[in-house]
């Protein structure tokens, strides 16, 4: 257990509240070792939230090919880290606009997926269905291209992440196809 915490927090050396060095300690009030500074500030290391949206139009979905690392060149739907001042729905709408230039209306949840650390940051990915009237996508600087896919043409072997595959699998099953 303590090894995992240390690995997750490898790059966290200083207390964000006071700047003192952080050390890993098992405090009597905690059920696992935590990063603590000598003033007693505890730095909790929690998963990051990622929000994605699968844009739909006439039974097709709009996927994009990543134009940045990691997973450059692989397919996914628009998504990214939540900003501190937005709701999950707002984040989904914003990502679709920024990454492929389409306006989506949120139509429901596809699923919630998690990829625990310590091998990479722990993340929770929330994926929505999004209806769009926009036929033409305009890839932003983080996308190489965007393309409409029928369910049976989803590029399963070239998807960016496990979470991408899980969400598209659930979307496909919910639509009764496969
Ligand atoms: Zn501190």
């Amino acid at each position: 257990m303590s090894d995992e915490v240390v690995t997750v927090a490898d790059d966290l050396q200083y207390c964000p509240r006071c700047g003192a060095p952080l050390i890993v300690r098992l405090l009597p009030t905690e059920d696992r070792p935590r990063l603590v500074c000598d003033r007693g500030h505890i730095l909790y290391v929690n998963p990051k939230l990622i929000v994605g949206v699968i844009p739909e139009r006439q039974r097709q979905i709009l996927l994009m090919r990543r134009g940045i690392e990691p997973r450059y060149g692989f397919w996914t739907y628009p998504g990214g880290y939540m900003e501190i001042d937005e709701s999950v729905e707002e984040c989904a709408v914003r990502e679709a606009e920024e990454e492929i230039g389409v306006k989506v209306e949120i139509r429901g949840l596809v699923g919630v997926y998690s990829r625990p650390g310590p091998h990479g940051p722990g993340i929770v990915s929330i994926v929505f269905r999004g209806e769009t009237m926009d036929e033409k996508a305009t890839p932003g600087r983080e996308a190489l291209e965007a393309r409409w896919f029928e369910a049976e043409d989803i590029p399963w072997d070239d998807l960016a992440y496990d979470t991408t595959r899980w969400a598209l699998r659930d979307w496909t099953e919910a639509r009764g196809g496969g």
Side-chain angles (χ1 to χ4, degrees):
M1 190 71 85
S2 69
D3 281 346
E4 290 186 24
V5 174
V6 173
T7 307
V8 166
D10 255 355
D11 55 338
L12 302 170
Q13 299 182 41
Y14 301 101
C15 175
R17 286 176 66 185
C18 72
L22 291 167
I23 56 170
V24 177
R25 292 179 59 193
L26 181 56
L27 302 174
T29 51
E30 298 286 321
D31 59 2
R32 62 162 71 190
R34 300 287 183 190
L35 285 164
V36 192
C37 78
D38 58 11
R39 292 190 190 177
H41 301 141
I42 302 173
L43 179 63
Y44 293 97
V45 180
N46 302 113
K48 285 189 171 289
L49 276 174
I50 291 178
V51 179
V53 59
I54 301 175
E56 304 173 19
R57 183 177 179 276
Q58 296 174 352
R59 296 189 66 83
Q60 292 188 319
I61 59 171
L62 186 57
L63 299 179
M64 53 170 267
R65 215 149 64 80
R66 288 176 59 83
I68 53 170
E69 296 289 353
R71 305 298 283 162
Y72 181 98
F74 287 85
W75 291 94
T76 186
Y77 39 77
Y81 290 110
M82 265 186 95
E83 298 292 357
I84 198 75
D85 60 350
E86 64 187 356
S87 68
V88 287
E89 293 86 357
E90 288 168 343
C91 180
V93 169
R94 176 179 58 75
E95 291 288 348
E97 176 82 47
E98 283 179 5
E99 296 196 323
I100 52 174
V102 297
K103 288 193 177 6
V104 295
E105 287 191 19
I106 301 304
R107 287 288 185 255
L109 190 65
V110 176
V112 177
Y113 311 91
S114 55
R115 198 174 62 206
H119 305 294
I123 62 123
V124 175
S125 182
I126 299 166
V127 183
F128 291 101
R129 294 171 44 224
E131 189 177 326
T132 184
M133 297 297 173
D134 299 337
E135 186 173 359
K136 184 179 176 340
T138 308
R141 59 191 152 84
E142 296 184 3
L144 297 174
E145 63 174 311
R147 196 190 299 173
W148 288 100
F149 288 90
E150 305 278 348
E152 54 268 30
D153 297 328
I154 292 171
W156 295 105
D157 293 335
D158 295 310
L159 297 177
Y161 299 104
D162 285 346
T163 48
T164 319
R165 195 170 67 250
W166 299 335
L168 289 174
R169 175 201 62 200
D170 288 345
W171 180 88
T172 304
E173 286 177 2
R175 296 297 296 262

Coordinates of all heavy atoms in Angstrom, one line a residue, residues 8 22 50 77 79-80 84 88 123 147-148 154:
V8 N 2.7 7.0 -6.9 CA 1.7 8.0 -7.4 C 2.3 9.4 -7.2 O 2.1 10.3 -8.0 CB 0.4 7.8 -6.7 CG1 -0.5 9.0 -7.0 CG2 -0.3 6.6 -7.2
L22 N 7.7 17.4 1.5 CA 6.7 16.4 1.9 C 7.4 15.1 2.2 O 8.3 14.7 1.5 CB 5.7 16.3 0.8 CG 4.8 17.4 0.5 CD1 4.1 17.2 -0.9 CD2 3.7 17.6 1.6
I50 N -11.8 13.2 -16.1 CA -11.8 13.4 -17.5 C -13.3 13.3 -18.0 O -14.0 12.3 -17.6 CB -10.9 12.4 -18.2 CG1 -9.4 12.7 -17.9 CG2 -11.1 12.4 -19.7 CD1 -8.5 11.7 -18.5
Y77 N -13.0 10.0 -29.0 CA -14.1 11.1 -29.1 C -13.5 12.3 -28.3 O -12.5 12.2 -27.6 CB -15.4 10.6 -28.5 CG -15.1 9.8 -27.2 CD1 -14.8 10.4 -26.0 CD2 -15.1 8.4 -27.3 CE1 -14.5 9.6 -24.9 CE2 -14.8 7.6 -26.1 CZ -14.5 8.3 -24.9 OH -14.2 7.5 -23.8
G79 N -12.7 14.9 -25.6 CA -12.7 14.7 -24.1 C -11.4 15.4 -23.5 O -10.4 15.6 -24.3
G80 N -11.5 15.6 -22.2 CA -10.3 16.2 -21.6 C -10.5 16.4 -20.1 O -11.6 16.1 -19.6
I84 N -11.8 23.7 -13.2 CA -12.3 23.7 -11.8 C -13.6 24.4 -11.7 O -14.4 24.2 -10.7 CB -11.2 24.5 -10.9 CG1 -11.5 24.2 -9.4 CG2 -11.2 26.0 -11.2 CD1 -11.0 22.9 -9.0
V88 N -19.8 18.9 -15.3 CA -19.4 17.8 -16.3 C -20.0 18.0 -17.7 O -19.3 17.8 -18.7 CB -19.7 16.4 -15.7 CG1 -18.7 16.0 -14.6 CG2 -21.1 16.2 -15.3
I123 N -7.3 8.0 -13.0 CA -8.3 8.8 -13.7 C -9.7 8.2 -13.5 O -9.9 7.0 -13.5 CB -8.0 9.1 -15.1 CG1 -8.0 7.8 -16.0 CG2 -6.7 9.9 -15.3 CD1 -9.0 7.9 -17.1
R147 N -13.9 12.3 -38.3 CA -14.6 11.6 -39.3 C -15.9 10.9 -38.7 O -15.8 10.5 -37.6 CB -13.7 10.5 -39.9 CG -14.2 9.9 -41.2 CD -13.4 8.7 -41.6 NE -12.0 9.0 -41.8 CZ -11.1 8.0 -42.0 NH1 -11.4 6.7 -42.0 NH2 -9.8 8.3 -42.2
W148 N -17.0 10.8 -39.5 CA -18.2 10.1 -39.1 C -18.0 8.6 -39.3 O -17.5 8.2 -40.3 CB -19.4 10.6 -39.9 CG -19.8 12.0 -39.5 CD1 -19.5 13.2 -40.2 CD2 -20.5 12.4 -38.4 NE1 -20.0 14.2 -39.5 CE2 -20.6 13.8 -38.4 CE3 -21.1 11.7 -37.3 CZ2 -21.3 14.5 -37.4 CZ3 -21.8 12.4 -36.3 CH2 -21.9 13.8 -36.4
I154 N -16.4 1.4 -36.5 CA -15.5 1.9 -35.4 C -14.1 1.3 -35.5 O -14.0 0.0 -35.5 CB -16.2 1.7 -34.0 CG1 -17.4 2.6 -33.9 CG2 -15.2 2.1 -32.9 CD1 -18.3 2.3 -32.7

